[in-house]
């Protein structure tokens, strides 16, 4: 049986426990939350309970195979909340054993508020297991006022699955706010992921960095679903360098992906770095823009950096309607590869589609000109440094640079009127057959 903890707030007389044994607690206020951990799976149930000034950790430095889950569940009428005092830290760790796996999960299931100063998902000591935060349901608020870390750098021999997932509901977003750094160091050979799965907002106050260090593992930041927003608001902190993807990676795979529909990335940093600063590794780093309708805005300079044997790729992949534009203040470096994939494109039937890939506020012709070129459906016909994959209906493409914009044009086959008639005829026949069956 897993260790499962539930909380719904109800004010009552205060209780103080030095160590709380497994069991059920109802209608109390805990001045201190300290679990009496054993080497067996147990169950803690907190029903109609409020937590204040609470120190809390799961399995830090414990070499056992225990599974633990802490879950807050509220309602629109009565929210659930857990707020820690200054100096309060949460550790969601995995096992220190390389043979015994541990699972430690923190959940917010709707109408819940959680605040801590520092949060670490897998410390320097966690080697094997699963640890993470799972936020789902309507109107959750998750706050880290100090430092946030995932997969600390010293855990180089780890094989963990670590995650931070957040999802809200239409009209009632879930929000995670990180007052200081959001750091994913991603050591070891496991999988580390951050997923915004729809109707979610993340606010980062200082440095946003994923894949800071990576050995042979995988690090993914992914927006999917609709109406997600990532705000990175720092401008002058860290000498104006506050947004990093794969900056310290020497190996492994690191990706930042904006997918789904109508998602927003807003970065205020004066300098943003996509790609590693290391020259002696073989890391694979990608920044992926998938689909149309996204708002992607960098106020400062963006650097797409590739060095040594490392590879850095900027990918634009269309959905059926097209792609989205990256808006930047300026382009610093652009030594990375550019890939464009229109294999899923359908279009509006006009036969021509044109979209700005990158729009800058200042001239960057010296970097953009290497991508200028054109091609047809014939294999090997393309010119310029960009890699372009067309769909089955594609006839040709062109990349041009004009007025600080890198522009992609795509021509494709438009079905003949007889083709449309055949399609509509088949649909009408299918509908008539359906009505007869009814």
């Amino acid at each position: 049986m897993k260790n499962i903890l539930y909380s719904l707030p109800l004010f009552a007389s205060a209780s103080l426990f030095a160590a709380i044994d497994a069991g059920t607690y109802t209608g109390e206020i805990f001045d201190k939350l300290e679990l009496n951990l054993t080497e067996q799976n147990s169950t803690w149930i907190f029903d109609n309970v409020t937590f204040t000034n609470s120190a809390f950790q799961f399995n830090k430095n414990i070499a056992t195979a225990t599974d633990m889950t802490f879950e807050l569940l509220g309602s629109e009428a009565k929210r659930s909340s857990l707020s820690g005092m200054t100096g309060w830290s949460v550790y969601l760790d995995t096992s220190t054993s390389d043979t015994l796996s541990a699972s430690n999960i923190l959940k917010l299931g709707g109408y819940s508020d959680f605040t801590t100063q520092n949060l670490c998902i897998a410390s320097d000591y966690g080697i094997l297991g699963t640890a993470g935060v799972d936020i789902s349901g309507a109107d959750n608020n998750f706050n880290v006022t100090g430092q946030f870390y995932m997969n600390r750098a010293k855990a180089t021999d780890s094989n963990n699955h670590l995650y931070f997932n957040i999802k809200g509901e239409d009209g009632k977003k879930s929000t995670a706010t990180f007052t200081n750094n959001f750091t994913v160091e991603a050591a070891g050979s496991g999988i580390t992921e951050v997923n915004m799965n729809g109707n979610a907002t993340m606010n980062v106050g200082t440095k946003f960095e994923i894949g800071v260090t990576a050995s042979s593992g995988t690090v993914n930041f992914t927006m999917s679903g609709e109406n997600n927003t990532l705000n990175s608001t720092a401008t002058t902190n860290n000498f104006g360098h506050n947004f990093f993807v794969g900056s310290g990676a020497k190996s492994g795979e690191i990706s930042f992906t904006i997918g789904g529909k109508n998602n927003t990335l807003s970065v205020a940093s004066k300098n943003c770095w996509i790609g590693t600063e290391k020259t002696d590794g073989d890391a694979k780093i990608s920044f992926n823009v998938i689909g149309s309708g996204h708002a992607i805005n960098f106020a400062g300079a963006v650097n797409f950096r590739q060095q040594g044997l490392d590879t850095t790729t900027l990918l634009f992949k269309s959905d059926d309607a097209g792609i989205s534009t990256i808006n930047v203040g300026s382009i610093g470096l652009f030594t990375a590869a550019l890939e464009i994939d229109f294999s899923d494109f359908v279009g509006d039937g006009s036969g021509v589609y044109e979209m700005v890939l990158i729009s800058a506020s200042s001239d960057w012709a010296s970097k953009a000109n290497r991508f200028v070129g054109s091609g047809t459906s014939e294999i090997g016909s393309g010119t310029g440094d960009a890699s372009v994959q067309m769909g089955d209906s594609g006839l040709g493409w062109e990349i041009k640079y004009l007025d600080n914009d890198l522009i992609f044009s795509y021509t494709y086959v438009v079905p003949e009127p007889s083709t449309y008639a055949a399609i509509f005829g088949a649909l009408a026949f299918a509908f008539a057959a359906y009505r007869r069956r009814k």
Side-chain angles (χ1 to χ4, degrees):
M1 181 182 296
K2 292 184 178 180
N3 301 322
I4 304 175
L5 296 84
Y6 298 98
S7 166
L8 291 170
L10 179 69
F11 294 100
S13 59
S15 300
L16 180 62
F17 292 83
I20 302 174
D21 292 324
T24 299
Y25 302 89
T26 303
E28 299 176 83
I29 297 175
F30 290 92
D31 293 330
K32 187 175 183 180
L33 175 61
E34 186 175 320
L35 305 182
N36 187 10
L37 301 178
T38 68
E39 293 191 2
Q40 297 179 355
N41 292 345
S42 303
T43 301
W44 285 263
I45 299 175
F46 292 95
D47 185 14
N48 296 322
V49 166
T50 298
F51 304 101
T52 61
N53 298 333
S54 301
F56 174 63
Q57 69 181 36
F58 285 155
N59 276 16
K60 186 180 180 184
N61 303 341
I62 294 179
T64 63
T66 55
D67 294 336
M68 299 185 63
T69 300
F70 185 104
E71 184 167 8
L72 297 177
L73 293 170
S75 66
E76 191 167 13
K78 185 168 57 176
R79 300 185 66 85
S80 178
S81 63
L82 171 58
S83 180
M85 62 183 177
T86 301
W88 191 72
S89 297
V90 172
Y91 293 88
L92 300 172
D93 223 332
T94 54
S95 173
T96 58
S97 168
D98 58 1
T99 58
L100 299 174
S101 176
S103 172
N104 293 283
I105 311 301
L106 171 62
K107 291 185 177 182
L108 274 66
Y111 299 102
S112 298
D113 306 305
F114 181 92
T115 301
T116 181
Q117 180 169 344
N118 302 304
L119 176 63
C120 183
I121 301 178
S123 69
D124 291 335
Y125 309 98
I127 293 177
L128 183 63
T130 300
V133 174
D134 193 353
I135 303 170
S136 62
D139 196 18
N140 297 288
N141 291 298
F142 187 91
N143 301 288
V144 180
T145 61
Q147 303 297 327
F148 174 88
Y149 291 99
M150 291 180 70
N151 209 350
R152 298 298 296 271
K154 291 181 181 179
T156 55
D157 55 351
S158 63
N159 187 15
N160 295 316
H161 177 206
L162 311 175
Y163 62 84
F164 184 93
N165 298 334
I166 180 169
K167 181 180 181 180
E169 294 183 359
D170 189 21
K172 295 180 180 180
K173 280 190 168 186
S174 289
T175 300
T177 299
F178 305 88
T179 304
N180 290 311
N181 296 339
F182 183 93
T183 302
V184 181
E185 295 187 355
S189 59
I191 298 174
T192 304
E193 53 187 347
V194 180
N195 298 302
M196 301 181 71
N197 294 322
N199 297 300
T201 296
M202 287 179 57
N203 302 308
V204 179
T206 54
K207 190 160 50 175
F208 175 93
E209 47 189 356
I210 67 166
V212 182
T213 58
S215 49
S216 58
T218 300
V219 186
N220 299 319
F221 184 102
T222 305
M223 289 188 191
S224 62
E226 297 189 39
N227 302 319
N228 298 293
T229 300
L230 171 61
N231 297 309
S232 178
T233 60
T235 55
T236 59
N237 305 74
N238 197 37
F239 302 100
H241 300 260
N242 293 291
F243 187 91
F244 300 89
V245 176
S247 61
K250 297 182 67 173
S251 63
E253 298 184 7
I254 299 100
S255 70
F256 186 103
T257 301
I258 304 171
K261 284 281 191 180
N262 302 321
N263 293 313
T264 298
L265 171 64
S266 178
V267 181
S269 178
K270 291 183 178 180
N271 289 281
C272 305
W273 295 89
I274 298 165
T276 184
E277 63 185 357
K278 306 298 183 182
T279 59
D280 57 346
D282 60 355
K284 295 178 175 61
I285 301 160
S286 62
F287 190 94
N288 309 310
V289 179
I290 300 177
S292 56
H294 304 309
I296 306 170
N297 298 293
F298 292 88
V302 180
N303 300 273
F304 294 98
R305 175 174 55 188
Q306 178 173 296
Q307 302 190 111
L309 297 177
D310 298 291
T311 60
T312 301
T313 303
L314 172 60
L315 169 66
F316 291 90
K317 180 174 173 56
S318 75
D319 56 15
D320 57 352
I323 54 178
S324 301
T325 300
I326 298 177
N327 299 291
V328 303
S330 61
I331 293 290
L333 294 175
F334 206 134
T335 53
L338 174 62
E339 295 183 2
I340 302 168
D341 184 348
F342 262 58
S343 58
D344 293 332
F345 181 75
V346 176
D348 59 4
S350 65
V352 179
Y353 174 84
E354 186 170 276
M355 188 67 173
V356 175
L357 299 174
I358 301 174
S359 180
S361 299
S362 58
D363 181 68
W364 59 292
S366 61
K367 291 95 172 178
N369 283 338
R370 72 183 179 97
F371 300 117
V372 172
S374 61
T376 67
S377 57
E378 183 179 348
I379 296 175
S381 66
T383 60
D385 283 352
S387 173
V388 179
Q389 179 178 349
M390 297 198 298
D392 293 339
S393 63
L395 296 173
W397 59 269
E398 180 183 12
I399 297 175
K400 55 190 176 183
Y401 178 79
L402 180 66
D403 296 333
N404 305 332
D405 292 343
L406 191 67
I407 303 168
F408 180 73
S409 298
Y410 186 70
T411 57
Y412 58 98
V413 175
V414 178
E416 296 293 333
S418 59
T419 303
Y420 283 120
I423 293 172
F424 289 130
L427 291 174
F429 179 80
F431 180 72
Y434 170 77
R435 291 292 299 271
R436 285 195 297 271
R437 288 195 302 270
K438 297 287 283 186

